[in-house]
Amino acid sequence: AQSVTQLDSQVPVFEEAPVELRCNYSSSVSVYLFWYVQYPNQGLQLLLKYLSGSTLVKGINGFEAEFNKSQTSFHLRKPSVHISDTAEYFCAVSPSGTYKYIFGTGTRLKVLA
Amino acid sequence: GAGVSQSPSNKVTEKGKDVELRCDPISGHTALYWYRQSLGQGLEFLIYFQGNSAPDKSGLPSDRFSAERTGGSVSTLTIQRTQQEDSAVYLCASTPIVSPNYGYTFGSGTRLTVV
């Protein structure tokens, strides 16, 4: 069975500092990988996705993520965060050939002034 | 429409009552998905539709939950005899077809509170 682990439930960081949100997965088949962001009282918005090809994926709002197959990780990074990045971030995997996403439990990013 | 629309945005209901949650996907999207987001947990898959048919209902928690989709567009998730453990945010998403290439487009969700 597939699973997604986001070890950090909350990450506080000062404005303009870099941030990394960790995501590890387990799967016996190849997967597609996604990061979503959820602002308060809103639905989830796609930040970026990895389907194939280059392991470094760039998304919206200056975020990027790197797929590491050997470590089964897909960590999300941003070199300099803004107050407006305060939100909850979800990592998800979709085993190839399926339609379901398996989501992690989310990481709440709080950017401090 | 331009985005995925869900209604109502908030619903408070008494234990034992039935509720209907509505999802209007992006026009032309043939695939529609329902997820449940409970406090402190990730998103839990409930059901998905390809057109009007639901090939996979395995995520529905019990037989109190049902869903339908008509005209390949609007979908309704019905919860009968609601229980307090049904309290959650119910999210709907759609994609043009069943493919990971697109990523889900989510609605804003319906927050259900059972009192």
Side-chain angles (χ1 to χ4, degrees):
Chain A
Q2 293 82 20
S3 66
V4 177
T5 302
Q6 293 181 249
L7 284 174
D8 304 308
S9 59
Q10 294 189 60
V11 174
V13 62
F14 285 104
E15 193 173 20
E16 299 184 7
V19 70
E20 178 180 83
L21 306 183
R22 296 180 293 166
C23 174
N24 288 86
Y25 69 93
S26 66
S27 177
S28 57
V29 300
S30 59
V31 297
Y32 303 117
L33 297 151
F34 305 83
W35 274 98
Y36 282 83
V37 60
Q38 186 176 34
Y39 298 103
N41 299 314
Q42 294 187 27
L44 280 73
Q45 179 183 0
L46 180 66
L47 268 180
L48 48 79
K49 59 186 176 185
Y50 171 79
L51 303 181
S52 64
S54 172
T55 58
L56 183 62
V57 179
K58 293 190 184 298
I60 62 172
N61 301 341
F63 284 92
E64 64 180 30
E66 185 158 19
F67 170 54
N68 187 318
K69 188 174 181 179
S70 62
Q71 297 185 7
T72 60
S73 68
F74 191 54
H75 301 332
L76 181 70
R77 301 186 185 101
K78 186 169 182 178
S80 176
V81 296
H82 303 290
I83 296 288
S84 59
D85 293 323
T86 295
E88 190 150 21
Y89 293 79
F90 291 91
C91 180
V93 303
S94 175
S96 62
T98 73
Y99 45 83
K100 291 184 202 180
Y101 286 18
I102 300 158
F103 284 86
T105 52
T107 297
R108 193 173 298 275
L109 175 64
K110 185 170 178 61
V111 181
L112 309 168
Chain B
V4 178
S5 178
Q6 291 188 247
S7 61
S9 55
N10 280 285
K11 176 72 176 179
V12 179
T13 189
E14 292 181 351
K15 179 181 172 182
K17 301 283 190 183
D18 298 350
V19 295
E20 285 189 351
L21 312 180
R22 175 188 166 105
C23 173
D24 197 347
I26 292 174
S27 178
H29 279 198
T30 62
L32 184 149
Y33 312 80
W34 283 99
Y35 280 78
R36 179 167 73 173
Q37 184 178 20
S38 302
L39 189 64
Q41 301 189 22
L43 279 74
E44 172 190 14
F45 170 81
L46 298 178
I47 187 172
Y48 97 99
F49 289 88
Q50 177 61 43
N52 290 337
S53 65
D56 187 349
K57 307 178 183 179
S58 63
L60 295 178
S62 72
D63 59 7
R64 296 186 295 104
F65 287 73
S66 63
E68 65 175 12
R69 189 180 186 193
T70 55
S73 182
V74 173
S75 176
T76 302
L77 177 69
T78 301
I79 309 173
Q80 296 179 309
R81 304 181 304 280
T82 51
Q83 304 295 312
Q84 288 187 329
E85 62 262 28
D86 300 334
S87 296
V89 176
Y90 290 81
L91 291 165
C92 175
S94 70
T95 54
I97 59 173
V98 178
S99 167
N101 289 344
Y102 301 98
Y104 290 168
T105 299
F106 280 93
S108 297
T110 293
R111 182 177 300 276
L112 176 66
T113 304
V114 182
V115 298

